[in-house]
Amino acid sequence: MASALRLRLLLLLAVAAAATGPCAGAGRVDLWPMPASVTRGAQTLLVSRDLKLSTAGSSYADGKGILKEAFQRMVAVVDLDHAINGTYSQGAPVLAGVRVAVRSPNDELNFGVDESYKLSVPATGNPLYAQIEAQTVYGALHALETFSQLCNFDFNANLIELHSAPWTIVDAPRFPYRGLLIDTSRHYLPVPVIKSVIDSMTFSKLNVLHWHIVDEQSFPLQIPSYPKLWNGAYSYSERYTFDDAIDIVQYAEKRGVNVLAEIDVPGHALSWGVGYPSLWPSAACKEPLDVSNDFTFQVIDGILSDFSKIFKFKFVHLGGDEVNTSCWTTTRHIKSWLLQHGMNESDAYRYFVLRAQKIAISHGYDIINWEETFNNFGDKLDRKTVVHNWLGSGVAEKVVAAGLRCIVSNQDKWYLDHLDATWEGFYTNEPLTNIYNPEQQKLVLGGEVCMWGEHIDASDIQQTIWPRAAAAAGMISSICFDLILPALIL
Amino acid sequence: MASALRLRLLLLLAVAAAATGPCAGAGRVDLWPMPASVTRGAQTLLVSRDLKLSTAGSSYADGKGILKEAFQRMVAVVDLDHAINGTYSQGAPVLAGVRVAVRSPNDELNFGVDESYKLSVPATGNPLYAQIEAQTVYGALHALETFSQLCNFDFNANLIELHSAPWTIVDAPRFPYRGLLIDTSRHYLPVPVIKSVIDSMTFSKLNVLHWHIVDEQSFPLQIPSYPKLWNGAYSYSERYTFDDAIDIVQYAEKRGVNVLAEIDVPGHALSWGVGYPSLWPSAACKEPLDVSNDFTFQVIDGILSDFSKIFKFKFVHLGGDEVNTSCWTTTRHIKSWLLQHGMNESDAYRYFVLRAQKIAISHGYDIINWEETFNNFGDKLDRKTVVHNWLGSGVAEKVVAAGLRCIVSNQDKWYLDHLDATWEGFYTNEPLTNIYNPEQQKLVLGGEVCMWGEHIDASDIQQTIWPRAAAAAGMISSICFDLILPALIL
């Protein structure tokens, strides 16, 4: 946490963007991502050591404590680095608290939930309160994050100050899907590390943790329906219980972050066979999963059934990338099955993906698949499919032209494991390139940066994610990105 | 925190030491550092989700909350990684709590404070309580750390288990000084990062944080007596207020860790002159500090006066290493002063160190100096001097033969910034090499591993400290190190 926070602060200090008014530049504003509209004044306030949260005028009861806990976290972040024990002088106005009015009593974190907010910090008043107005509690969380970025420690007064009041900030995210992928198959990440990643996402207003749970290398998650699956974990202790996963999802939801679970089939699933070897084509040829075996689809059904008790997000990710089908044609019983069903390898790949899609839909999910499924048989995909671009640029325009939804993660720009990918590249990766039709633009749900786990573990994941992920978040969270860019680069 | 913890756990899992009874081997015991005496049984206990702390029978009132907070931290460490929500079955005995009896009401963290403890975990009883007996609360903290290492998460039961009860563990540290150096001059470390380092030290029972605060590169600490000194900080925000330093010391003391503050004079002090240029020999030749200027010693006096309000440890570190005196002979007014006082460069170096020692003593401190001071004029050093070895091996035997005290940090084995220094080297670095006289052995106060800051910052300091610092801690904290070694290496 502390190091992630530090990286965030360094970034904020290092890059200064110019904006006052709706994306219009006038002076330096240290906010990240840049809100849609900012006006400010010239008054310095002192922030009370005992900052109050008021919810007068809210329709939202905060029964789960989402707002109250977020407020406490915000205060802790602001106070974190230094002893705050100065004396309040008589002259300077003191900000006594933050008044939050949430209009909707509904706190379900549905996809596309209204995340907009208005934050006002007046320069006068007694008592003096900042004002947050939001349709939902999740917009209010973003407002608290923005508020925290207005606060600075004063090294002479030993107090927190808030400069340039009065402020009026109006904001809403540019895209509804703003993701970060983590990969717990290549390296196990302890639960507290996953939670610290979730915490750090909120600093940049990212809202989807794409949890690439299992892959070839290991199967760390307990699946009650098929209890031998986590025999494919790296070790006894490098595992997540079913309840750990519920805990992670609840932790994320309280912070406005949905968790997108992935099983990557049929290609990236070798570890499944450690517990159930009949999922392998043969002991000598272990992937993709055996397309000819009904048990394969029973296991997928069991996993997705268990998933539906944990992962409440609208979407589940079914992978579908990098499928090398040679084991299917070199294994006698699968080769016979293909002949019997009149399928070639490509047909079988399509058959597998579409059958897995149907299973996911039967459990109430919309599906996300990696782009190879679209590239190979896009017209056959269920209309509930979201195509996840990763191979390169130019894919989103084809996907939305075909009427499907798309998420952008082109590896040349947004793969965090590519250490030579620069923050400028992250920042300038426009998801709507060559998409001009507003209806088609709406089909681009957003973007996602991917922290694949082959070369990172708990000790360096945060340092590898940040600050570059924040550069991408500047692009997908802010409508002002194109005006900020020149100030950043020049 | 989380990553440091993970490294600790990995270390514990990776190295298994054999011991039952006083340093005698019989089976695997996953405790680190290895306690002085261990016996155990074969009963598995379940650890209550609502573990209680009882202080019945204690003479210690815990007015500062040291014990209570340490207990809460211990429970949090044990529970950290997984959702603990299993069902307690009827058969297995449940450990209800820990009863702590501290004999001394005194909780001052003086150097040499009794850190011994006895920890017993019975296999039967209703209610079933573990028992800790200690002379001081600081021994009890070590016992809680050891207790936490007996606890393991059970992935099937979703509960914490404690295997091999009944346990009887008797322990006391081998050396009274068990240090770790951090360096906030070469890279600034935010306060939360320093606190996380302190937390991690307690896992290996290290008890002195050697804070190398300032050096050539930056002067991050506020010194009220000379308020321009922190003009030598890297930036406005890369600074510690006076109150931050008090906060860090109190945080450490509550965890049984003393903070040893260092100013490294006259050599490593270039940054002092940013705020007070007259401390430099000249604008063209900026170190060592101007030996001819009384103001130099006034500033040292002011710093040590302010230190005495922050740093309550018995010792202060005055550095004294790597002094290149060429600026003294090439600067006209200093050259004149040397001639006038009949001193050559070596005389002036000695004069500086001894005058600084006198100032420190006047503020109530014993002094620690790097070994060059001993190597050059050991017989002139104040008898309150502790010589801090760093250049290589073979120094401690000479220091204690001269009747002075010594701390061992030979760079070839115990410098953490030497990335090619192996954990085996850290583990086998014996501070008492060639010292057989028990009275002389007592003059070796202990050892310290050094995390110099040129090449690390907040993002990787913990990963560079651990796990190798734990290997050194195994040597300086445990009397059983020589019996554990073969099991580790082989």
Side-chain angles (χ1 to χ4, degrees), chain A residues 125-158:
Chain A
N126 188 9
L128 183 51
Y129 268 72
Q131 313 279 347
I132 290 173
E133 298 165 56
Q135 184 62 29
T136 73
V137 66
Y138 301 107
L141 298 196
H142 291 322
L144 289 172
E145 170 59 31
T146 301
F147 175 82
S148 78
Q149 296 183 16
L150 297 178
C151 299
N152 298 287
F153 179 74
D154 182 296
F155 281 82
N156 297 306
N158 284 10

Side-chain angles (χ1 to χ4, degrees), chain A residues 351-372:
Chain A
Y351 161 82
F352 195 113
V353 167
L354 298 181
R355 188 165 170 187
Q357 286 202 335
K358 283 203 180 68
I359 296 169
I361 290 166
S362 79
H363 291 291
Y365 286 116
D366 281 20
I367 316 107
I368 305 180
N369 271 115
W370 294 109
E371 69 170 269
E372 287 96 322

Side-chain angles (χ1 to χ4, degrees), chain A residues 2-3 6 13 80-83 85 153-155 158 188 190-192 230 236-239 241 243-244 458-459 463, chain B residues 2-3 6 80-83 85 153-155 158 188 190-192 230 236-239 241 243-244 458-459 463:
Chain A
S3 25
R6 177 166 164 75
L13 292 168
L80 192 61
D81 271 298
H82 294 283
N85 59 3
F153 179 74
D154 182 296
F155 281 82
N158 284 10
Y188 179 81
V191 173
W230 72 350
Y236 174 77
S237 58
E238 287 172 296
R239 296 195 286 177
T241 66
D243 292 319
D244 289 339
S459 71
Q463 297 87 326
Chain B
S3 27
R6 176 165 164 76
L80 193 62
D81 271 300
H82 294 284
N85 59 2
F153 180 73
D154 182 297
F155 280 83
N158 283 11
Y188 179 82
V191 173
W230 72 349
Y236 175 76
S237 58
E238 287 172 295
R239 297 195 285 177
T241 66
D243 292 320
D244 289 339
S459 71
Q463 297 86 327

Side-chain angles (χ1 to χ4, degrees), chain B residues 334-352:
Chain B
I334 303 180
K335 192 175 177 183
S336 304
W337 183 88
L338 291 174
L339 275 171
Q340 190 186 329
H341 290 77
M343 290 191 201
N344 63 20
E345 295 173 66
S346 301
D347 299 332
Y349 168 41
R350 184 182 66 232
Y351 162 81
F352 196 112

